[in-house]
């Protein structure tokens, strides 16, 4: 088992960040040199997610638009999506946080020991041994990554042992677009091996403290302005 001292809890976004540029990952995720600043787009997404959650779990109507407050009513235009999901039969679980350790066992999300990877799905509807899993997206589908769905399915199979089949969907509410993918419990070993393969290089980098710079089209948007590849203004 890996020791907490040589690793850190990972996530889909952390793994993708490392793959894009190990040095940026180091400065952002390990050294925490650049505190997170929420963008207006991210705030909008959070508000819509929260309204969807209350609609599902409490039956609370979506907030109506208010011309005096531009933060109200953001979710109302997407009511057809969430009402269609809410009307499905089955046990519903919203905004559930999940985590597993390096042995693939369920652990606490915040205080679990030797956390390997963490994740959170927006909504899961369980019907017998099958489940529907949804992730709402308020942005554009251009760079959609179903890898997130696969990882959430792996975590869900471990946290929900009676689920054997998961049908997942990225729902781009503003585009009226759905990207689907399906996963089965009998392929868990395959999913786990894939994400272990992507996680081990991060552990190696954390152990050696070697995080090479990687040039890409994203260098223009990187906060690491002292990097020789920095291409911003």
């Amino acid at each position: 088992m890996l020791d907490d001292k040589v690793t850190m809890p990972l996530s889909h976004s952390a793994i993708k960040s490392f793959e894009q540029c190990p040095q940026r990952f180091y400065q952002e995720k390990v050294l925490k040199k650049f505190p997170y600043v929420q963008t207006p787009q991210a705030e909008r997404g959070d508000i819509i997610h929260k309204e969807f959650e209350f609609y599902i779990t409490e039956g609370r109507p979506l907030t109506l638009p208010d011309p005096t407050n531009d933060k109200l009513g953001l979710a109302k235009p997407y009511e057809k999506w969430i009402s269609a999901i809410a009307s499905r039969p089955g046990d519903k679980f919203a905004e559930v946080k999940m985590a597993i350790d390096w042995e693939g066992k369920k652990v606490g999300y915040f205080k679990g020991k030797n956390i390997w990877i963490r994740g959170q799905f927006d909504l899961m509807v369980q019907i017998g041994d099958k489940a529907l899993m949804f992730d709402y997206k308020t942005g554009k589908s251009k760079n959609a990554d179903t890898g997130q769905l696969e990882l959430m399915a792996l975590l869900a199979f471990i946290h929900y042992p009676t689920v054997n089949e998961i049908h997942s969907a990225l729902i781009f509410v503003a585009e009226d677009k759905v990207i689907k993918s399906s996963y089965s419990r009998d392929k868990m070993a395959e999913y786990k091996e894939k994400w272990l393969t992507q996680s081990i290089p991060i552990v190696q980098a954390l152990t050696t403290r070697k995080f090479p710079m990687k040039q890409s089209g994203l260098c223009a948007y990187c906060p690491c302005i002292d990097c020789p590849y920095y291409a911003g203004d």
Side-chain angles (χ1 to χ4, degrees):
M1 180 182 290
L2 292 171
D3 193 285
D4 285 333
K5 295 179 181 178
V6 296
T7 187
M8 59 186 285
L10 301 179
S11 64
H12 177 263
S13 62
I15 291 172
K16 292 303 169 183
S17 174
F18 181 85
E19 290 175 346
Q20 289 169 356
C21 179
Q23 180 58 213
R24 178 173 180 173
F25 170 90
Y26 179 58
Q27 294 200 37
E28 283 189 328
K29 307 292 186 182
V30 182
L31 298 182
K32 302 186 183 300
K33 288 179 63 175
F34 312 107
Y36 174 70
V37 177
Q38 188 178 51
T39 64
Q41 293 82 2
E43 182 185 19
R44 176 177 177 274
D46 285 350
I47 292 171
I48 292 173
H49 273 74
K50 186 56 67 175
E51 286 223 33
F52 281 0
E53 178 185 357
F54 289 145
Y55 187 102
I56 290 288
T57 60
E58 301 178 9
R60 185 188 302 181
L62 298 181
T63 304
L64 291 169
D66 182 345
T68 66
N69 188 337
D70 60 6
K71 292 183 180 179
L72 294 180
L74 291 175
K76 190 65 176 179
Y78 315 124
E79 186 169 15
K80 74 168 190 175
W81 279 113
I82 198 64
S83 62
I85 294 171
S87 65
R88 288 180 175 274
D91 297 322
K92 298 178 178 67
F93 308 91
E95 302 294 339
V96 174
K97 293 178 171 62
M98 304 174 290
I100 60 175
D101 64 16
W102 287 92
E103 293 184 343
K105 297 178 181 179
K106 173 182 174 181
V107 293
Y109 186 89
F110 294 107
K111 296 183 179 181
K113 186 176 181 181
N114 290 315
I115 296 174
W116 164 26
I117 206 158
R118 299 192 291 204
Q120 176 176 327
F121 57 71
D122 290 337
L123 176 68
M124 188 173 81
V125 182
Q126 183 177 354
I127 309 170
D129 70 341
K130 296 179 175 59
L132 304 174
M133 186 180 288
F134 303 96
D135 192 274
Y136 322 125
K137 300 294 185 184
T138 55
K140 297 181 179 180
S141 62
K142 181 180 178 180
N143 298 312
D145 182 2
T146 57
Q148 177 185 1
L149 297 180
E150 181 182 85
L151 181 55
M152 291 308 101
L154 171 62
L155 293 174
F157 283 134
I158 294 170
H159 279 252
Y160 296 86
T162 60
V163 173
N164 293 319
E165 188 177 308
I166 296 176
H167 300 282
S168 302
L170 294 174
I171 300 179
F172 292 87
V173 293
E175 295 183 357
D176 261 4
K177 185 173 183 178
V178 179
I179 297 177
K180 301 178 181 180
S181 193
S182 296
Y183 307 96
S184 60
R185 179 173 291 278
D186 60 9
K187 292 185 178 180
M188 276 182 63
E190 177 184 325
Y191 307 147
K192 183 178 178 183
E193 180 62 27
K194 172 185 173 180
W195 291 99
L196 275 173
T197 299
Q198 292 180 265
S199 300
I200 291 301
I202 302 179
V203 177
Q204 294 171 335
L206 288 167
T207 302
T208 62
R209 280 301 191 262
K210 293 181 179 179
F211 295 86
M213 302 168 188
K214 185 176 179 180
Q215 189 173 19
S216 74
L218 298 174
C219 292
Y221 311 100
C222 182
C224 306
I225 59 176
D226 56 343
C227 174
Y229 296 138
Y230 177 68
D233 296 332

